[in-house]
Amino acid sequence: RVQTTRDDVRRFPDGFLFGTATASYQVEGGWDEDGKSENIWDYLTHTSPCTISDCSNGDIADDSYHLYKRDVEMMRELGLDFYRFSMSWSRLLPTGFPDQINEGGVNYYNNLINEMLKYNIQPMITLYHWDLPQRLQELGGWANPHVVDWFGDYARVAFEQFGDRVKYWMTINEPREVCDEGYGDVNLAPLLDSKGIGEYMCVKNLLVAHARAYHIYNDEYKSKYGGEVGIAFSARWYEPASDSEIDIQAAEDFTAFTWIKYVHPIYSETGDYPPIMKEKVAAKSAEQGFFRSRLPEFTQEEIEYVRGSSDFFGLNHYTTFLVYRNESIYDANPVPSLFDDADIGSYHHPDWEETASSWFKVVPWGFYKLLTSIRENYNNPPIFITENGFSNRGGLQDDDRVRFYRNYLSAMLDAMDEGSDVRAYAAWSLMDNFEWLSGYTERFGLYEVDYDCPERTRTPRKSAFVYKEIVRTRALDLDYEPDTDVMTID
Ligand code: PNW
C-alpha cells in the first residue's frame, strides 16, 4: 500500500491476511464464572498445582473474560485483518453435551465476535485448543470412539450460535500435541502416558471427529453461510542429521509418525495413514505379542469420510530438529512407544539460537523447507499459518523477537516466491499467556501482560510496533526502527 520502492523491501501479495492467535484456557480466566464447568486444565492445575513449573494456573490468566474490549483495542492498534481464538467447550456446554447450552458462554463469545466485527476484524475460531470438559475425560476423552459424536454435537452448537458471523473455523488445534503429548506422554493434560497405545487411539478418533465437524458444516451450513472449515496441524521440520541414506529415511519416518499421520489421511489422494507407519507399527506389535496392530485401523468408509475434509491447511510452526536412525537395543526409547516404533532419535544443533522454551530453537530455513515440502507432497494446498512466534522471559525491548519474526517471515516469502500458496499469517501470540506446563515463565506476546497487577495491564513490546508496520505496509522492511513511545489506532 504505502512504502518506498527500495528493492530490499519485500512485499506480501494482495489479499494476504495478517492476524494474531490465542487460546481459551491460556487467556480467558473466569474459570468457573457464569456456569462454566471444569476442563482438564482446571482439573490438572487444581489437583496438582506444581505440575506447572511456577505452580500457577489459568484461573484468571489474562482475564480476557472481562477484558475482551481491551483485547480488541489491541487488535485495532496492530491493524489486524483477523484474530484467531478458541472456544472453551466447557464454557459453552458445561455437561460436555448439548443438553445445556450455557447462556454465559454464548454471551461472552457473542460480545467478543461482535466487538471484533465492529472494527472489521474477522474472527477465526478454533473449536478445540486442548481444554476438554473434565467429565468427558473421565469417559476416556479422545481415546473413546464416542468422542466423534460428542465433538460433532459441540461443533454443531457453535456453528448454530455463531456461524452467521464467523467465516473461518478450525476444528482442532495441533492433533500431534493433543495425542502424542497428552495421551502418549506427560507433557500436556491429561498426562496419560499411554505410550504406543492410547496415543494411537486418540489419533484415529480425533481424525474422525474432525471429519464429523467438517461434514456437519459442509452439509448443513456451508450453503447458508459460505464459510470455511480447516484444521491446524503442528509441524516441525525434521532435517536428517547426516547425509546418509539411513538418516534421510529416519527423518522421513519421524515426519510420518509425528505429523504426516494427521495430514496424509486428509490431504493425500489415497487417504489413510502413511504406509510406512502402518507397516512399522503392525510389525512391532506382532513382535511384541499383540494380537493386532496397536494403531487402530480406519474402515474404508472412514478413509473416505476423512479424506478431503479440510478447506485450508492450517499450520503452526516453530522449530526444526535433526533426526537420526536409532535402533540400538541399548536405546532409551520405552517399548512400546512411538519413538520405538519409528526407530529414531532427534536433537537440536548446539549452534542454533535458543528461546525460553527447551523444545524450541530458532531455525528460519526449516520453515522454508517445511512449506516447500507441503507444496510438493500435497499438491500445493492453500495454507494459513495459524501460529508462529518466539518465547523469551519478558521485557519490552524484545529485539530477539523482532529478529525472529523478520527471519521467519523472510523464509516464508522465499517459499511463496517459489509458489507456496500461503494466504494468512497469525503471530503467536497477541499477548503473553498461560504457557501450559511452563505457566507464566515463557513469554510469547507482542504485548506484555503484567501478572502482578489485578488489571492485567497489557503493554506493547517493540515487536508489536514492528508487526504493526508490517501489517500497515504489507511489506517487510528489515531496516525499520519503530518509535516505541505511543501506540495509536490508525
Ligand atoms: C503451540 N513443537 O504448541 C500451541 O498451539 C500453543 O497453545 C502454545 O502456547 C504455543 O505453541 C507455544 O508453545 C506447540 O514442539 C508446542 O514444535 C510444541 C511445538 C509446537 C507447538
Side-chain angles (χ1 to χ4, degrees):
R1 286 192 287 187
V2 205
Q3 272 298 330
T4 64
T5 51
R6 275 173 36 215
D7 56 9
D8 57 338
V9 174
R10 303 185 70 179
R11 259 154 238 294
F12 291 88
D14 289 345
F16 192 87
L17 302 174
F18 286 100
T20 61
T22 61
S24 45
Y25 187 76
Q26 295 180 274
V27 302
E28 282 180 4
W31 80 274
D32 64 348
E33 278 185 65
D34 303 329
K36 178 181 163 295
S37 73
E38 204 179 38
N39 64 43
I40 57 176
W41 282 91
D42 297 316
Y43 179 81
L44 172 66
T45 57
H46 294 164
T47 53
S48 175
C50 291
T51 305
I52 312 300
S53 49
D54 53 4
C55 308
S56 67
N57 59 50
D59 287 3
I60 302 174
D62 294 352
D63 200 21
S64 286
Y65 190 64
H66 300 107
L67 299 177
Y68 69 92
K69 284 198 176 163
R70 170 65 181 136
D71 294 348
V72 176
E73 185 176 70
M74 285 143 59
M75 299 169 208
R76 294 168 63 204
E77 291 172 352
L78 295 172
L80 303 185
D81 302 306
F82 72 93
Y83 175 57
R84 173 179 180 238
F85 64 96
S86 79
M87 281 183 174
S88 158
W89 189 336
S90 61
R91 191 182 295 291
L92 218 46
L93 304 180
T95 64
F97 300 101
D99 59 324
Q100 281 175 39
I101 300 177
N102 181 29
E103 210 186 301
V106 173
N107 289 342
Y108 173 64
Y109 294 116
N110 273 334
N111 288 341
L112 173 59
I113 291 167
N114 294 341
E115 182 74 7
M116 289 170 59
L117 289 176
K118 233 198 256 177
Y119 302 106
N120 217 4
I121 300 160
Q122 293 303 314
M124 185 183 278
I125 298 188
T126 313
L127 289 170
Y128 185 73
H129 198 127
W130 307 359
D131 43 0
L132 197 76
Q134 175 60 19
R135 293 296 289 158
L136 298 185
Q137 192 62 57
E138 284 157 17
L139 298 172
W142 296 98
N144 184 335
H146 290 292
V147 76
V148 176
D149 288 335
W150 309 339
F151 186 67
D153 293 350
Y154 163 52
R156 184 191 300 281
V157 170
F159 298 150
E160 194 64 45
Q161 295 288 335
F162 311 108
D164 57 336
R165 286 152 293 153
V166 176
K167 301 303 164 198
Y168 301 105
W169 292 96
M170 255 157 300
T171 54
I172 291 160
N173 180 68
E174 300 191 343
R176 191 198 85 84
E177 272 56 35
V178 174
C179 297
D180 302 20
E181 306 293 4
Y183 287 67
D185 214 320
V186 291
N187 297 320
L188 290 174
L191 315 181
L192 278 189
D193 210 17
S194 174
K195 291 187 189 307
I197 302 203
E199 61 187 325
Y200 293 142
M201 295 177 179
C202 173
V203 174
K204 180 187 165 180
N205 297 330
L206 180 149
L207 280 165
V208 180
H210 150 80
R212 172 67 61 83
Y214 177 85
H215 288 293
I216 288 174
Y217 190 87
N218 213 43
D219 298 347
E220 300 170 40
Y221 296 94
K222 180 124 184 158
S223 59
K224 197 158 45 163
Y225 295 141
E228 296 179 26
V229 181
I231 181 167
F233 304 108
S234 72
R236 301 155 166 186
W237 176 250
Y238 292 126
E239 181 75 6
S242 77
D243 49 23
S244 75
E245 273 310 313
I246 295 175
D247 286 347
I248 293 172
Q249 188 58 49
E252 228 170 88
D253 291 355
F254 200 35
T255 304
F257 268 84
T258 51
W259 64 278
I260 290 296
K261 69 177 181 234
Y262 303 102
V263 172
H264 202 267
I266 300 175
Y267 274 95
S268 67
E269 310 256 303
T270 50
D272 204 354
Y273 298 115
I276 181 75
M277 179 182 178
K278 286 176 71 172
E279 285 157 25
K280 276 180 139 326
V281 183
K284 291 255 183 176
S285 302
E287 237 170 71
Q288 291 158 356
F290 290 89
F291 288 179
R292 69 186 70 80
S293 177
R294 288 177 277 101
L295 179 66
E297 288 179 6
F298 289 115
T299 63
Q300 194 54 42
E301 204 184 337
E302 286 167 338
I303 289 176
E304 296 307 322
Y305 193 65
V306 172
R307 198 166 57 92
S309 63
S310 186
D311 296 326
F312 57 85
F313 192 114
L315 177 64
N316 295 357
H317 175 71
Y318 291 87
T319 197
T320 288
F321 279 82
L322 297 173
V323 179
Y324 58 98
R325 181 61 82 205
N326 183 2
E327 301 181 281
S328 155
I329 51 164
Y330 304 109
D331 165 29
N333 289 337
V335 178
S337 72
L338 182 148
F339 277 76
D340 179 69
D341 288 338
D343 290 314
I344 68 92
S346 70
Y347 62 101
H348 279 126
H349 196 285
D351 293 347
W352 293 344
E353 184 190 344
E354 297 196 3
T355 68
S357 315
S358 59
W359 52 271
F360 182 7
K361 303 281 185 285
V362 178
V363 193
W365 54 261
F367 193 19
Y368 164 80
K369 288 196 175 193
L370 176 67
L371 288 168
T372 304
S373 84
I374 294 168
R375 179 178 81 239
E376 289 173 347
N377 294 327
Y378 293 98
N379 198 25
N380 201 14
I383 295 178
F384 292 2
I385 303 302
T386 38
E387 284 181 27
N388 177 235
F390 176 86
S391 67
N392 63 18
R393 302 273 172 213
L396 295 180
Q397 196 62 32
D398 57 344
D399 293 286
D400 45 7
R401 180 171 290 104
V402 168
R403 202 167 52 240
F404 174 92
Y405 277 117
R406 286 178 170 163
N407 291 335
Y408 271 62
L409 284 169
S410 290
M412 182 179 91
L413 284 168
D414 289 343
M416 291 164 71
D417 282 347
E418 291 171 16
S420 287
D421 187 10
V422 184
R423 300 188 183 179
Y425 177 90
W428 183 273
S429 177
L430 174 63
M431 57 192 159
D432 293 339
N433 54 55
F434 179 80
E435 178 55 20
W436 309 114
L437 293 195
S438 301
Y440 300 101
T441 65
E442 298 172 16
R443 304 299 185 92
F444 279 88
L446 294 173
Y447 284 71
E448 181 155 276
V449 177
D450 183 356
Y451 294 100
D452 293 330
C453 92
E455 288 77 32
R456 294 295 191 271
T457 310
R458 291 114 155 90
T459 310
R461 295 197 166 109
K462 182 174 177 181
S463 57
F465 290 90
V466 169
Y467 193 59
K468 176 190 172 96
E469 182 69 0
I470 292 169
V471 175
R472 187 182 75 83
T473 59
R474 322 311 273 192
L476 194 57
D477 177 352
L478 303 182
D479 297 329
Y480 174 72
E481 262 301 314
D483 174 356
T484 55
D485 284 351
V486 261
M487 183 55 97
T488 53
I489 295 175
D490 299 331

